[in-house]
Amino acid sequence: MSNPTTQPEPRLRRIRLVILTAVIAAAGAVAATALLVNISERKQEARNPFYRVVELDDTIEDPAVWGKNFPLQYDDYKRTVDQVRTKYGGSEAVPHTPTEADPRSVVAQSRLEEDPRLKTMWAGYAFAVDFREERGHAYMLDDQTLTERQHVTKQPGTCMHCHGSVYLPYKKLGEGDLIKGFEKMNQMPYMEARKLVEHPVACIDCHDPKTMALRVTRPGFIEGMRALKAGQGVQNYDVNAQATRQEMRSYVCGQCHVEYYFKGPEKRLTYPWAKGLKIDNIMAYYEENGHKDWVHAETGAPALKAQHPEFEMYNQGIHARSGVACADCHMAYKREGAMKISDHHVRSPLLNINRACQTCHKWSEEEMKNRVETLQDRHHALRNTAMDALVDLIHDLKERKLAGASDVELAEARGFQRKAQFYLDFVEAENSNGFHAPQEAARILGESINYSRLGQKALRKQPPVPQQDARKQE
């Protein structure tokens, strides 16, 4: 016999199921509608990747004007004023008392104060007077203009090639001819050339104003790549016409982050790539043409000063061999609504690990950071060993010179100093602290240590130095 109190339960369950189904269906319809609306909005955003507020052309160099069409990129670009230090790179904001000669209220820390051995390495050269930690692109023009190096040597307008937005000034100087303008500015005194340049690196230096396609505008890189390719059997290489888009995402950076020298009395900026990009190729190039940047004040050696060869070192590393471009790590892609844009806040990947590294490497941020710092710890230790070895050679050479050794007697050891110093400086001036090509950086430092050893060995071939006479000479 059934219980009458339980008879309505199946009916109630059916009613509840109908109501629940209706609610779920309604919620699903609302969610689907919202999704479709969102997709429609994002598609519309994607169809218009930038705002057409102003008409851009090859005569507009002010990045603020470009920023009206590209506000997201411009906002990122302005953030290169940030001063954030990683363990071995970046810079801290050091207070500075403004003067009439130097109105800056903040500067980067002095590398010479951090490591006085650098003064010994560069004795007699302007870098022994002022050398500071690198800062962001926003400071590249002012820091070059206001460095103490300007007061101890007459720098040429050539320096402007990598420290300012020079595309338009070159075009104006050359009456429309980029190369002729480049040649004219090279021969100007720096301060005269400085009057023609208003901005640090800007949008126009890397982008075509009509299509926004990447382009190389620096004559030094255009000519350097032509020489490099000619050495590989490719004649008349045109980087803007023949490079792939992914290559261009490194080449626009390599316009400035390179080794270079001033060639001849006309001070033509030249990238020493005719024999290749490795340091051994570059050293062979300098040995062949006899170039020297200065004569070392303590030893008389014909010395070379490496600049900032990030492009050369990057090309020896695993990332370059894997097809990863500079911009992939230093200007990592990010999403803004439906738009995928490059982050124009150019900085160390260690300050942006999620986007810069974890797109490819599926480990935690802490693990990625620890791996990099382990590489750099080892690099820094080997760098210090190479620095000590070089300083020891310089001291021994100085002692022999003061004791009256002739140029002929010192020539071999001076030659080894030249090599030891350039090899060490090549990785010292390169801003990745070994990361771009760890094994190559270690090899280079090993070669530097060996050259210092060979220099000391060459000195031991000479008669012993009378210690008393050496002290009298001092």
Side-chain angles (χ1 to χ4, degrees):
M1 186 172 179
S2 62
N3 188 343
T5 60
T6 62
Q7 290 178 353
E9 286 185 5
R11 183 181 176 191
L12 287 173
R13 282 198 296 271
R14 286 195 296 271
I15 292 171
R16 290 190 188 114
L17 183 59
V18 169
I19 293 172
L20 181 60
T21 302
V23 170
I24 293 174
V30 170
T33 301
L35 178 62
L36 290 171
V37 170
N38 184 267
I39 291 172
S40 178
E41 290 175 348
R42 295 296 180 257
K43 283 184 175 181
Q44 187 60 36
E45 287 179 2
R47 291 191 190 101
N48 297 284
F50 57 88
Y51 306 93
R52 302 179 191 278
V53 178
V54 295
E55 191 67 29
L56 297 172
D57 59 38
D58 240 11
T59 67
I60 299 174
E61 64 177 354
D62 186 350
V65 178
W66 288 61
K68 293 178 180 180
N69 284 4
F70 301 93
L72 300 174
Q73 290 88 341
Y74 182 59
D75 284 347
D76 287 339
Y77 165 87
K78 290 190 294 183
R79 292 183 64 197
T80 60
V81 298
D82 292 351
Q83 289 188 243
V84 182
R85 184 159 195 174
T86 60
K87 186 173 183 180
Y88 289 109
S91 59
E92 297 166 350
V94 177
H96 176 265
T97 302
T99 65
E100 186 176 344
D102 186 351
R104 293 176 295 178
S105 59
V106 171
V107 296
Q109 65 271 27
S110 171
R111 292 288 305 280
L112 301 177
E113 293 176 6
E114 291 179 342
D115 189 346
R117 293 174 297 180
L118 292 169
K119 293 182 180 181
T120 300
M121 180 165 75
W122 295 326
Y125 200 55
F127 275 81
V129 175
D130 186 20
F131 177 56
R132 296 182 177 274
E133 197 65 81
E134 66 277 1
R135 297 205 286 175
H137 285 167
Y139 300 107
M140 61 193 291
L141 183 55
D142 285 346
D143 285 352
Q144 172 68 14
T145 303
L146 299 171
T147 176
E148 288 294 317
R149 297 194 297 272
Q150 296 286 2
H151 303 297
V152 297
T153 188
K154 293 180 180 180
Q155 294 192 329
T158 317
C159 297
M160 203 60 67
H161 185 277
C162 293
H163 287 275
S165 181
V166 292
Y167 175 72
L168 196 55
Y170 280 167
K171 296 277 280 189
K172 289 179 178 177
L173 274 175
E175 298 179 349
D177 189 315
L178 184 73
I179 301 299
K180 287 183 179 179
F182 161 69
E183 293 169 343
K184 286 184 178 180
M185 188 175 287
N186 287 341
Q187 299 179 57
M188 291 181 174
Y190 178 87
M191 289 304 175
E192 184 180 334
R194 176 66 180 83
K195 296 174 184 176
L196 305 177
V197 180
E198 296 185 34
H199 305 282
V201 65
C203 318
I204 196 171
D205 295 296
C206 301
H207 290 280
D208 183 290
K210 294 298 182 185
T211 66
M212 296 304 124
L214 293 173
R215 65 177 180 180
V216 170
T217 58
R218 295 297 194 268
F221 190 86
I222 293 170
E223 294 178 351
M225 286 300 295
R226 188 178 298 134
L228 174 64
K229 293 293 185 179
Q232 298 170 349
V234 180
Q235 301 300 320
N236 301 314
Y237 180 76
D238 184 339
V239 63
N240 284 308
Q242 294 175 254
T244 66
R245 182 178 181 277
Q246 184 67 355
E247 286 175 329
M248 290 297 282
R249 298 180 74 244
S250 291
Y251 288 174
V252 291
C253 306
Q255 294 184 92
C256 296
H257 290 265
V258 293
E259 161 64 2
Y260 63 84
Y261 76 107
F262 303 156
K263 186 176 182 179
E266 67 276 13
K267 303 294 184 182
R268 189 183 194 90
L269 188 77
T270 303
Y271 297 176
W273 295 347
K275 295 179 179 293
L277 291 176
K278 294 183 71 172
I279 187 172
D280 311 282
N281 307 132
I282 294 170
M283 188 75 238
Y285 174 93
Y286 285 141
E287 291 290 84
E288 185 176 286
N289 71 8
H291 172 73
K292 65 177 182 290
D293 287 308
W294 88 104
V295 174
H296 194 275
E298 295 183 359
T299 68
L304 296 165
K305 174 70 187 78
Q307 308 307 324
H308 25 66
E310 286 83 40
F311 182 74
E312 291 91 340
M313 286 294 286
Y314 147 82
N315 270 285
Q316 311 312 316
I318 186 62
H319 289 89
R321 292 197 298 274
S322 300
V324 179
C326 303
D328 287 322
C329 304
H330 293 276
M331 301 177 66
Y333 284 123
K334 65 177 183 176
R335 284 283 179 185
E336 292 287 351
M339 291 184 289
K340 177 184 176 182
I341 66 172
S342 291
D343 187 348
H344 282 60
H345 180 196
V346 184
R347 62 196 187 280
S348 167
L350 287 177
L351 302 175
N352 190 24
I353 292 174
N354 176 254
R355 293 195 186 105
C357 308
Q358 290 180 309
T359 300
C360 299
H361 302 287
K362 305 305 180 183
W363 291 281
S364 68
E365 289 197 20
E366 183 180 5
E367 170 68 13
M368 296 303 300
K369 182 171 179 287
N370 288 339
R371 288 190 181 200
V372 173
E373 290 185 348
T374 297
L375 286 173
Q376 293 181 328
D377 287 343
R378 294 168 179 170
H379 171 84
H380 199 67
L382 190 56
R383 173 261 186 198
N384 282 333
T385 300
M387 186 69 74
D388 285 341
L390 175 65
V391 169
D392 286 346
L393 171 59
I394 289 172
H395 286 164
D396 289 351
L397 259 167
K398 178 183 177 182
E399 187 178 65
R400 293 277 181 166
K401 183 171 179 285
L402 290 173
S406 68
D407 288 342
V408 172
E409 292 172 323
L410 297 176
E412 185 180 7
R414 283 170 172 169
F416 284 123
Q417 181 197 337
R418 170 182 166 92
K419 291 180 178 179
Q421 189 157 316
F422 184 63
Y423 273 61
L424 170 57
D425 203 10
F426 203 82
V427 295
E428 177 70 15
E430 200 271 334
N431 284 311
S432 77
N433 292 283
F435 178 76
H436 283 152
Q439 290 181 317
E440 176 67 358
R443 183 190 74 83
I444 291 171
L445 289 172
E447 292 286 356
S448 175
I449 293 167
N450 189 47
Y451 284 134
S452 292
R453 180 187 69 85
L454 291 173
Q456 290 179 306
K457 186 177 178 182
L459 289 174
R460 287 201 295 270
K461 295 178 184 177
Q462 307 301 323
V465 178
Q467 295 297 318
Q468 187 174 359
D469 291 348
R471 285 195 295 271
K472 286 180 181 179
Q473 289 283 344
E474 290 179 356

